[in-house]
Amino acid sequence: MRHFTSVFDLGDLHEALQEALEIKRDRYKYVELGRNKTLLMVFFNSSLRTRLSTQKAGLNLGMNVIVLDVNQGAWKLETERGVIMDGDKSEHLLEAIPVMGCYCDVIGVRSFARFESREDDYQEKILNQFIQYSGRPVFSMEAATGHPLQSFADWITIEEYKTVERPKVVMSWAPHPKALPQAVPNSFAQWMVAAGYEVVITHPRGYELDPRFTAGATIEYDQMKAFEGAHFVYGKNWSCASPEHYGQVLSKDRIWTICDRQMAVTDNAYFMHCLPVRRNMIVTDDVIEGPRSLVIPEAANREISATVVLKKILEGLK
Ligand code: CP
């Protein structure tokens, strides 16, 4: 594997799952693979889980790891070509990226949607510039429209906990005070369909995700109906994805907050969320603290998904 930006880069999913389970049993099995190889993790945005789990994954594989927080200590970067740089930005991304590539073998990039232009966000301008100009394999640590490392970890978690071959997986929009990107729900929908599950997405009207990510899933606007018989419930907020209302928050209606009322009509579903989560906006204390909450196992599996992805990239270097 050269780059990792979506489920489609991973190859055979069944094999990837077996690799994940193998690494979970012995996470240092491939510690020699990354000897004298350097992982650079570039963060344009904040992180707790991705930072720690991906760094740990690099260490599991014997890599040297460098972390760069672009907004803390690096020169302020211009990202648009053609701009007269007479403002506060000292360096252009088009020089910075190949320079970063000089010091490492693999680059992970976190660059969220900026909500300035739907076109720019959905073209993944920042991530694709790293792919084009770094000369290195690049993997997404959450970009504008996708968070595949998270979805891979979510999928591993579902495979570990499912009790039926083809579970019903419901992704539910839930309220949040601020505009959030569509990266996690896009990737989750795409990954769950690729995994062959029954996938239902529920949200208020106006919150439709881009059909390129949701193809194969059922959209159900009635949240209670969507939850009926669910085996897994994935809570998540996202802002509007449509060109007319891109990045806008149309609703903060807490009737959508996931609580015992909706969970009661499921088939004793597990609750999932990528974290960080706003309690009592997205989900009540009772549900997230309850015995069917999988939020910590999901976070733990971030180390595993990142180790598999880095292993595949390292194998591609040879
Ligand atoms: N789920 C996730 O990516 O968490 P962080 O934003 O803390 O990395």
Side-chain angles (χ1 to χ4, degrees):
M1 184 168 70
R2 177 74 179 166
H3 306 294
F4 176 72
T5 64
S6 88
V7 62
F8 303 118
D9 295 321
L10 204 57
D12 185 286
L13 283 187
H14 180 73
E15 277 178 24
L17 180 65
Q18 294 316 308
E19 278 184 276
L21 299 177
E22 178 194 43
I23 283 168
K24 196 155 183 177
R25 283 190 295 272
D26 179 5
R27 56 200 70 199
Y28 299 107
K29 183 167 181 180
Y30 298 100
V31 69
E32 292 301 320
L33 195 60
R35 181 190 286 276
N36 296 332
K37 295 281 186 281
T38 299
L39 165 63
L40 171 62
M41 298 163 58
V42 181
F43 287 91
F44 289 84
N45 306 96
S46 303
S47 168
L48 188 156
R49 279 144 291 273
T50 304
R51 177 183 300 258
L52 296 179
S53 62
T54 312
Q55 186 161 0
K56 178 67 165 59
L59 298 174
N60 290 349
L61 294 163
M63 301 182 81
N64 308 308
V65 183
I66 305 172
V67 180
L68 177 68
D69 286 297
V70 171
N71 298 320
Q72 289 172 15
W75 299 110
K76 209 165 179 184
L77 293 176
E78 176 58 61
T79 57
E80 295 304 313
R81 197 168 169 278
V83 168
I84 297 168
M85 290 175 59
D86 60 355
D88 63 340
K89 292 173 180 166
S90 306
E91 178 154 24
H92 203 286
L93 201 61
L94 292 177
E95 283 81 53
I97 290 173
V99 168
M100 292 182 212
C102 295
Y103 308 135
C104 64
D105 300 281
V106 181
I107 304 182
V109 180
R110 165 160 286 203
S111 173
F112 289 173
R114 296 194 285 186
F115 295 134
E116 289 166 7
S117 152
R118 186 185 191 279
E119 198 183 340
D120 285 0
D121 287 344
Y122 272 71
Q123 285 177 356
E124 292 287 7
K125 269 183 92 171
I126 303 289
L127 185 67
N128 282 325
Q129 284 184 334
F130 272 87
I131 290 172
Q132 193 172 352
Y133 298 116
S134 70
R136 301 295 177 199
V138 172
F139 65 97
S140 167
M141 298 196 300
E142 185 171 347
T145 65
H147 195 357
L149 281 177
Q150 178 67 51
S151 303
F152 188 7
D154 295 333
W155 177 51
I156 295 166
T157 311
I158 291 175
E159 285 294 312
E160 288 176 323
Y161 283 85
K162 74 178 188 183
T163 53
V164 296
E165 185 55 30
R166 187 171 183 261
K168 177 178 178 180
V169 178
V170 177
M171 180 169 72
S172 178
W173 182 92
H176 192 279
K178 296 197 299 187
L180 294 187
Q182 296 101 38
V184 169
N186 282 344
S187 276
F188 185 76
Q190 196 171 50
W191 206 297
M192 294 302 104
V193 171
Y197 301 151
E198 179 188 354
V199 184
V200 178
I201 303 172
T202 184
H203 54 73
R205 289 183 191 276
Y207 278 94
E208 289 76 12
L209 293 164
D210 190 313
R212 284 174 290 181
F213 295 96
T214 58
T218 300
I219 311 301
E220 171 56 65
Y221 295 109
D222 181 335
Q223 191 190 32
M224 290 300 286
K225 196 170 165 197
F227 275 51
E228 282 172 13
H231 300 103
F232 294 88
V233 167
Y234 200 91
K236 188 72 188 87
N237 174 267
W238 61 89
S239 61
C240 291
S242 68
E244 307 79 48
H245 300 289
Y246 181 60
Q248 291 180 16
V249 175
L250 299 183
S251 170
K252 296 179 187 174
D253 188 351
R254 285 175 46 226
I255 193 85
W256 284 81
T257 300
I258 297 167
C259 64
D260 290 338
R261 176 177 56 86
Q262 300 102 324
M263 295 304 282
V265 302
T266 68
D267 189 357
N268 197 21
Y270 287 106
F271 173 78
M272 302 178 73
H273 189 279
C274 60
L275 303 180
V277 69
R278 299 266 185 154
R279 281 178 175 226
N280 303 307
M281 288 293 290
I282 302 285
V283 61
T284 59
D285 292 325
D286 287 347
V287 170
I288 197 168
E289 290 172 6
R292 305 297 280 179
S293 173
L294 293 181
V295 296
I296 305 305
E298 287 173 83
N301 277 332
R302 290 293 306 277
E303 176 189 344
I304 306 304
S305 65
T307 307
V308 174
V309 166
L310 277 172
K311 171 180 173 284
K312 285 178 172 291
I313 290 174
L314 287 169
E315 287 167 344
L317 288 178
K318 291 187 170 173

